Amino acid sequence: MNVQIEKCFKTFHDRIKISDLDRKEQSNMVLREKRDLLLEDLKLYFRKKNVTRKSDEHLNFDYFNQGSYGMYTGIKPIDGDFDIDVAIVLNIDKTDYPNPTTVKKWIFEALNAKNNRTVLWKKPCITVQYTKAGEEKYHVDFAIYAGANQDGHCYLARGKETSIPKEKRWEESYPKALKEKINEKFINDEERHQFKRIIKYLKRWKDEKFKQENSGTGKPTGIALTALAFNHFSPHVRDFFTNETKINDLTALTKTVESINISSIWSEINIQLPVPPYNNLFKDMTSIQMEKFKEKLSKLKLNLEEAQKNVDPHEASKLIQQVLGNDFPIIDKEDVSKKSPKPSITHSGESA
Amino acid sequence: MCKTLRYILPNDKILQINSNVIRDLSKFKQSTTTSNESGGILLGRILKNTNHLVIDEITTPTQYDIQRRNYFKRSKRPHQKIINKRWKESNQTQNYFGEWHTHAEENPSPSNTDLNDWKKRVIRDKLNLDFLISMIVGIKQTNVWITDRDCKTFKLILTNDIG
Ligand SMILES: [Zn+2]
């Protein structure tokens, strides 16, 4: 039973995961090429800008994939809107640029150079959106950081040009910190891999069950679910008695969801980003949205618990598919049932 | 939502009755003073590897059956036809496991008619299992018995009740 369900989880994971953007795989090529094209535009922009600057004032930047690509917790979107998060860390001191939108404007100008893309101001980033009829949608979010500050800290440029002054601010933020925290939580490979799979399962559940909701308000964000898993997941990768490797994603996911559930019986779910600025990742949910979220979480828990108890792998896989969506395969009823040589014979009967 | 029920069999295997069966059976409960007794047969599967049993289909009263307040007579042919059909359609995995009927009492127990019928059935029916499974659907509770080849009848215990 476990073996068969674990096979389903493996198939499910293969179907939903996004592999490392920088690995030379065909599936990532389009996204990688788009990102690299945008980075080239940024480099060109700063090269031009530096012509008029003294050599010790030359601007340059580091970049890396942040968000789920950086943490290897990315999943394929069911609506087809792929999302890449890129951190741009500039060699500037924030005290030289009291208004962070000055710096964000550079990025905006640099990227807003071609017709086939839409560049948008967002509070935490500059977004490049590609939408072509009949093609896969995707967007690249550039988060811009000041990385050469006298105080040694790192700051995210927040606000739009049109934002009120208090929203235009430098927010202490460590783009690599969350990634490191997530990647370092489990030293053991099997445990770490399972941890990341559980994050992906929760994210797919979210995409399936909150289709109508807006991200961040009615729909929990991927980061919020990542932080929940960070606090509530414990690995189930070894046999309790023999200590041999025995991956049990169903138990790991069930226990994680149970733990989140128990922690929120008497209160709203409140989870902080595990690194600075330690913000509450559910703060934008209304209490009605929170109740809905908890309701959906309870349904997830019930189905997983029943799947664990169910003696029929076919039924168990159906219960899991109901909550995780159609990428989770159903185990064929006839494959798990014994054949009988002939139909049994009944006779008429009486009861009273 | 109806719950899936699981019982312990004397050979320590589990008998699982799926929630859709519980839901279908509950429609026949004799909840009013005029409702008649209903009955039918239970269809299920033996699972590979574990040998646990799953009941996931039933037949319901047909026009050839007789339904009275405290009596039900099930005819052979229409129910046997379904057994044959389902066995074939399911690639020989779905088969006849036993029978069910309703009682106009809250927590049902078998009548002498029931016990005699079950014994007769174990001897005469050609079963795929070593025992016959019988369910009585009461107004509040549903109970399950098995009758073995020695014609001994045991009431099964829910797994939830033994922790
Ligand atoms: Zn009876």
Side-chain angles (χ1 to χ4, degrees):
Chain A
M1 152 82 180
N2 259 338
V3 181
Q4 286 150 320
I5 290 292
E6 286 311 308
K7 260 192 202 158
C8 291
F9 270 106
K10 196 174 179 312
T11 307
F12 177 57
H13 182 245
D14 288 340
R15 286 178 182 169
I16 65 167
K17 71 174 178 193
I18 295 179
S19 33
D20 185 354
L21 200 61
D22 289 307
R23 234 177 263 160
K24 304 287 171 226
E25 282 166 41
Q26 197 63 29
S27 60
N28 286 331
M29 210 170 69
V30 179
L31 286 173
R32 188 169 58 234
E33 281 177 0
K34 289 286 177 202
R35 182 203 63 187
D36 291 348
L37 218 70
L38 295 170
L39 288 168
E40 278 310 313
D41 285 347
L42 280 181
K43 279 179 200 155
L44 186 69
Y45 177 87
F46 284 113
R47 215 177 294 144
K48 279 187 189 159
K49 206 173 184 67
N50 285 340
V51 173
T52 59
R53 288 180 164 238
K54 283 186 272 177
S55 63
D56 60 339
E57 286 175 2
H58 276 188
L59 296 164
N60 57 58
F61 66 90
D62 266 346
Y63 77 89
F64 54 87
N65 297 319
Q66 63 172 18
S68 57
Y69 276 96
M71 295 185 283
Y72 312 116
T73 55
I75 57 161
K76 287 178 187 150
I78 43 180
D79 62 358
D81 191 359
F82 281 85
D83 147 30
I84 312 173
D85 295 308
V86 182
I88 300 289
V89 185
L90 287 153
N91 64 332
I92 57 167
D93 187 327
K94 73 172 170 78
T95 50
D96 295 334
Y97 303 91
N99 180 356
T101 61
T102 315
V103 176
K104 278 180 85 170
K105 198 175 182 184
W106 298 341
I107 310 297
F108 179 85
E109 284 173 351
L111 299 172
N112 200 20
K114 304 233 165 81
N115 288 330
N116 64 336
R117 47 173 108 124
T118 311
V119 186
L120 303 163
W121 282 86
K122 299 238 174 107
K123 280 179 195 166
C125 60
I126 297 286
T127 296
V128 182
Q129 178 80 53
Y130 291 89
T131 33
K132 258 192 190 168
E135 263 184 38
E136 251 170 3
K137 288 190 294 180
Y138 41 88
H139 65 270
V140 187
D141 289 333
F142 288 93
I144 297 115
Y145 298 86
N149 301 289
Q150 283 190 341
D151 63 9
H153 294 179
C154 188
Y155 295 89
L156 172 70
R158 289 192 64 98
K160 306 182 197 182
E161 267 193 318
T162 53
S163 297
I164 52 166
K166 76 166 192 183
E167 285 182 339
K168 296 179 184 176
R169 59 194 165 85
W170 289 102
E171 179 180 78
E172 188 178 355
S173 179
Y174 300 89
K176 281 184 179 165
L178 182 64
K179 181 170 156 176
E180 282 164 7
K181 196 116 188 177
I182 296 294
N183 287 335
E184 287 164 8
K185 171 119 187 179
F186 297 98
I187 297 153
N188 178 279
D189 284 351
E190 293 293 1
E191 295 182 353
R192 187 177 59 257
H193 292 157
Q194 187 176 58
F195 173 45
K196 299 206 174 167
R197 288 197 301 276
I198 299 302
I199 294 174
K200 288 178 236 187
Y201 302 158
L202 289 172
K203 285 166 79 171
R204 177 48 72 92
W205 163 75
K206 178 246 317 178
D207 287 348
E208 286 286 341
K209 298 297 162 194
F210 296 82
K211 277 179 188 155
Q212 323 299 339
E213 308 283 344
N214 289 324
S215 193
T217 54
K219 184 191 209 168
T221 61
I223 288 290
L225 293 176
T226 304
L228 280 174
F230 184 85
N231 283 12
H232 293 278
F233 164 82
S234 52
H236 288 82
V237 296
R238 262 179 291 281
D239 186 277
F240 183 76
F241 295 105
T242 65
N243 212 32
E244 280 166 13
T245 300
K246 193 175 167 197
I247 307 294
N248 196 333
D249 282 10
L250 176 56
T251 302
L253 180 61
T254 309
K255 298 279 178 207
T256 304
V257 173
E258 282 174 345
S259 171
I260 298 169
N261 208 269
I262 288 167
S263 76
S264 63
I265 291 175
W266 304 110
S267 62
E268 300 204 326
I269 295 173
N270 180 324
I271 193 90
Q272 288 183 333
L273 192 69
V275 293
Y278 302 109
N279 48 315
N280 174 10
L281 296 164
F282 284 99
K283 72 172 187 324
D284 293 332
M285 267 195 190
T286 65
S287 33
I288 294 168
Q289 287 168 334
M290 178 56 78
E291 279 314 306
K292 268 197 187 167
F293 175 63
K294 284 164 71 169
E295 231 170 73
K296 289 184 178 166
L297 198 72
S298 297
K299 163 83 177 145
L300 173 63
K301 179 178 104 97
L302 276 179
N303 274 46
L304 293 172
E305 285 174 340
E306 175 53 36
Q308 277 198 307
K309 283 185 247 161
N310 207 293
V311 299
D312 180 7
H314 165 72
E315 284 296 319
S317 67
K318 264 169 46 183
L319 285 159
I320 303 172
Q321 193 190 63
Q322 278 172 17
V323 283
L324 297 184
N326 286 337
D327 277 332
F328 193 91
I330 299 269
I331 296 170
D332 195 78
K333 210 192 250 192
E334 291 162 18
D335 285 350
V336 294
S337 310
K338 284 189 170 171
K339 281 191 188 191
S340 46
K342 50 174 74 106
S344 300
I345 307 292
T346 183
H347 291 88
S348 62
E350 281 185 305
S351 58
Chain B
M1 191 178 115
C2 285
K3 271 178 87 173
T4 298
L5 300 178
R6 276 173 284 268
Y7 298 86
I8 305 277
L9 292 164
N11 63 0
D12 278 343
K13 299 296 171 194
I14 292 171
L15 166 68
Q16 176 173 297
I17 299 167
N18 282 0
S19 56
N20 64 303
V21 168
I22 306 295
R23 194 187 52 229
D24 291 347
L25 287 174
S26 68
K27 293 173 196 154
F28 296 96
K29 278 184 186 171
Q30 291 179 267
S31 310
T32 67
T33 50
T34 52
S35 46
N36 282 335
E37 189 168 318
S38 298
I41 58 154
L42 304 167
L43 290 155
R45 295 173 285 127
I46 307 172
L47 294 168
K48 281 182 189 167
N49 307 324
T50 57
N51 287 319
H52 295 316
L53 305 181
V54 179
I55 289 177
D56 52 3
E57 290 178 33
I58 58 165
T59 64
T60 54
T62 71
Q63 53 174 313
Y64 306 102
D65 304 332
I66 299 164
Q67 289 185 268
R68 298 282 177 268
R69 175 66 182 161
N70 288 309
Y71 178 77
F72 178 77
K73 185 172 179 3
R74 176 161 51 78
S75 58
K76 174 179 166 155
R77 281 197 48 205
H79 299 277
Q80 183 66 48
K81 256 173 109 176
I82 294 175
I83 298 171
N84 298 353
K85 182 170 171 277
R86 291 298 301 131
W87 178 81
K88 222 172 165 181
E89 286 171 347
S90 66
N91 199 16
Q92 308 175 19
T93 56
Q94 203 82 29
N95 216 331
Y96 166 63
F97 278 7
E99 64 90 40
W100 68 273
H101 68 275
T102 61
H103 270 195
E105 58 179 329
E106 292 198 344
N107 187 7
S109 53
S111 64
N112 282 330
T113 313
D114 298 338
L115 289 167
N116 287 331
D117 184 77
W118 298 348
K119 280 176 194 160
K120 218 167 68 188
R121 202 158 284 290
V122 166
I123 297 163
R124 288 179 60 207
D125 287 358
K126 291 204 170 54
L127 294 168
N128 186 36
L129 300 173
D130 290 331
F131 45 82
L132 175 90
I133 299 168
S134 308
M135 275 180 91
I136 303 181
V137 181
I139 296 166
K140 283 214 170 134
Q141 215 170 315
T142 294
N143 295 324
V144 182
W145 291 264
I146 63 160
T147 306
D148 68 14
R149 296 269 184 215
D150 299 329
C151 294
K152 288 206 178 72
T153 297
F154 306 86
K155 189 178 173 187
L156 298 183
I157 301 165
L158 275 170
T159 56
N160 315 44
D161 294 344
I162 54 164

